[in-house]
Amino acid sequence: MTEHMRMAQARRVVVLLAGLSLLVCALDLVAVLFFGGVNFSFGPVTLRSTTLEFPVIAILCSLLLLLLAREKTTELCLLVASLGVAGVMAELILRAVDHPLSKPHVDYVRWYEPSDMLGHKLVAGFDGFGPLSIRVKTNSQGFRDDEHGWEKPKDRLRVLGIGDSFTFGWGVTSEETYLKQLERIFERSGETRVETINAAVPGWGLNNYYVYMKEYGIRYTPDVVIVGYFLDDLSGSMLETIPAEEVYNEGVQFKGGVLHHSRLYNFSKFLADRVRQDNRHKRIAYLHELDTRREEWAKNAFHLMKEDGQQGQKHYTGVLHDQLARLQALTGQVGAVLVVMYIPDIAQVHHPETQHINRMLRDLTARSGIVFLDMTSVFEDNEDLTTYYLWPRDAHTNPRGHAAMAKALAEALCQIDTRLTGPCGSDHHQIPRPSVASSP
């Protein structure tokens, strides 16, 4: 066989492999876009392709290799030039229309900055896209809300909400959060006296709630303080201040580094992130396997998820009592009513054996005279978990879940303040009544 024949045969092999690669990557792209991607396990080896970047880049490389192997130099140059021109035009168009999805994106972990008092807090004045590609905008105090003065307006019922990512509104717009929907329930009925303040930060827990209330929250002189309690809010002993968390010392960082100045890159990143979030449940067993999720939660005694009678659990029950007691004492200083609303993890719904924390909160709040709402019974009115949760994309509550919490809180406000009208009148019976416990 001559050298020329060997080279020709080698080119044919390369063409065949490039064509096969192009076909496989095209099928992978379809799978990623419409079927959650590829996720196969062969013993200890897992083959996974759930992101958009790999098939797109692989298709381009395979196409370039195919043209090069077939000695289509003209076509190759034309393709590269076309991609370049199209990229420049797309960049100019995105800048001209100032498309919101083409603005810089941040890694949502980088919304945070360290705080020597609160551990971490949200960066004040931030405006960008967060988890699940939802816009996040913070006020001058670093909260996802409008500006609120310390002095309470006259003839207003001021409701201060503190909590973690659920109260913050992970994966939903600011207007879809339960605090904003609570405000609108009364507005729609002609009652304009209810003002809500969202002072929630993802990753906060009972210690953060207490320190924030002590240093800042009571300055609002709220009438009602709502604690949106989630399973992991009790994490350890009580603290008066929380050391700064070093993980946030780098501050806000844009995705792509210097590339974040390109509108085309930002827009492409948005599309890729959207696909990645849609397929996230295929990559993380903790999200798409509820049994795995329950097992992970139950490993920590301070979650109080299951009743086991161990000494560690008894200790954390006492810590939970003390945490609630000092929060109640703080709210009492300004004459506010403390409301604890339990937001169940999706793995707890329809599983009574994992709802020990619910029963503990009911007992502790009843003995202390704290209003308690357990949203579990409401979220269990439908077998379909997607009714109230962003499942399977994410385990946080969706807009319908926030609406259900807002209605439950409206019911509680009607009981707390008899001066309120609107939903507390003839339509009062239409508001779902979750489990409510308080002492006389």
Side-chain angles (χ1 to χ4, degrees), residues 114-411:
S115 168
D116 291 330
M117 183 178 298
L118 295 164
H120 72 275
K121 60 183 180 179
L122 292 174
V123 174
F126 172 79
D127 188 357
F129 291 90
L132 304 183
S133 301
I134 298 296
R135 184 182 180 186
V136 173
K137 186 177 182 179
T138 62
N139 60 21
S140 61
Q141 295 186 28
F143 294 110
R144 196 184 187 192
D145 203 345
D146 301 326
E147 300 291 344
H148 295 274
W150 295 118
E151 184 177 354
K152 180 175 62 178
K154 295 181 179 180
D155 300 323
R156 286 285 181 89
L157 184 77
R158 175 168 274 185
V159 179
L160 174 62
I162 51 179
D164 59 7
S165 53
F166 283 85
T167 301
F168 164 87
W170 189 277
V172 301
T173 67
S174 177
E175 292 303 310
E176 291 170 335
T177 60
Y178 68 77
L179 287 171
K180 285 295 184 183
Q181 293 200 54
L182 172 64
E183 200 173 75
R184 289 200 299 275
I185 285 176
F186 288 94
E187 287 180 354
R188 285 195 298 265
S189 62
E191 175 62 79
T192 59
R193 292 181 55 249
V194 177
E195 174 196 22
T196 63
I197 301 175
N198 190 336
V201 174
W204 273 13
L206 286 172
N207 277 319
N208 305 88
Y209 307 158
Y210 168 75
V211 175
Y212 171 76
M213 281 297 302
K214 179 181 65 172
E215 300 296 333
Y216 305 103
I218 59 174
R219 295 174 60 186
Y220 283 115
T221 59
D223 300 290
V224 178
V225 175
I226 297 170
V227 175
Y229 192 104
F230 184 64
L231 189 61
D232 62 354
D233 278 0
L234 179 68
S235 57
S237 301
M238 295 194 300
L239 300 174
E240 290 296 323
T241 58
I242 305 172
E245 300 177 21
E246 294 183 2
V247 68
Y248 304 116
N249 279 344
E250 297 180 23
V252 177
Q253 291 186 348
F254 292 103
K255 290 184 177 180
V258 68
L259 289 176
H260 81 271
H261 294 291
S262 167
R263 291 298 189 95
L264 177 59
Y265 172 83
N266 294 332
F267 186 76
S268 301
K269 188 64 176 172
F270 166 80
L271 296 178
D273 285 351
R274 182 63 181 266
V275 172
R276 181 182 289 106
Q277 289 290 347
D278 287 342
N279 299 341
R280 185 168 175 247
H281 61 284
K282 286 290 188 71
R283 305 193 310 274
I284 306 174
Y286 183 72
L287 283 179
H288 67 88
E289 296 177 4
L290 292 179
D291 289 338
T292 301
R293 190 175 181 86
R294 293 185 199 100
E295 291 173 3
E296 290 297 319
W297 281 125
K299 288 179 180 178
N300 297 311
F302 53 81
H303 290 153
L304 299 173
M305 185 178 184
K306 294 183 178 181
E307 186 173 9
D308 56 21
Q310 296 180 6
Q311 187 62 36
Q313 193 172 78
K314 293 180 180 178
H315 165 73
Y316 286 114
T317 300
V319 175
L320 177 58
H321 171 273
D322 294 341
Q323 290 274 24
L324 293 175
R326 67 175 184 171
L327 271 174
Q328 186 183 28
L330 269 178
T331 56
Q333 289 181 17
V334 292
V337 176
L338 179 61
V339 177
V340 175
M341 178 174 66
Y342 185 73
I343 306 170
D345 183 73
I346 191 170
Q348 293 180 283
V349 178
H350 301 298
H351 285 268
E353 72 277 6
T354 66
Q355 298 172 10
H356 178 62
I357 178 62
N358 310 46
R359 296 184 285 272
M360 291 301 306
L361 284 171
R362 176 185 298 280
D363 293 343
L364 293 174
T365 54
R367 290 200 299 267
S368 304
I370 299 172
V371 177
F372 177 59
L373 307 178
D374 186 356
M375 292 304 302
T376 307
S377 60
V378 176
F379 289 176
E380 288 180 335
D381 68 4
N382 196 306
E383 292 290 334
D384 186 359
L385 295 176
T386 63
T387 302
Y388 297 112
Y389 292 89
L390 293 164
W391 196 256
R393 294 179 65 205
D394 194 88
H396 286 81
T397 41
N398 62 23
R400 289 189 299 272
H402 281 269
M405 290 187 279
K407 291 177 181 178
L409 287 167
E411 166 72 17

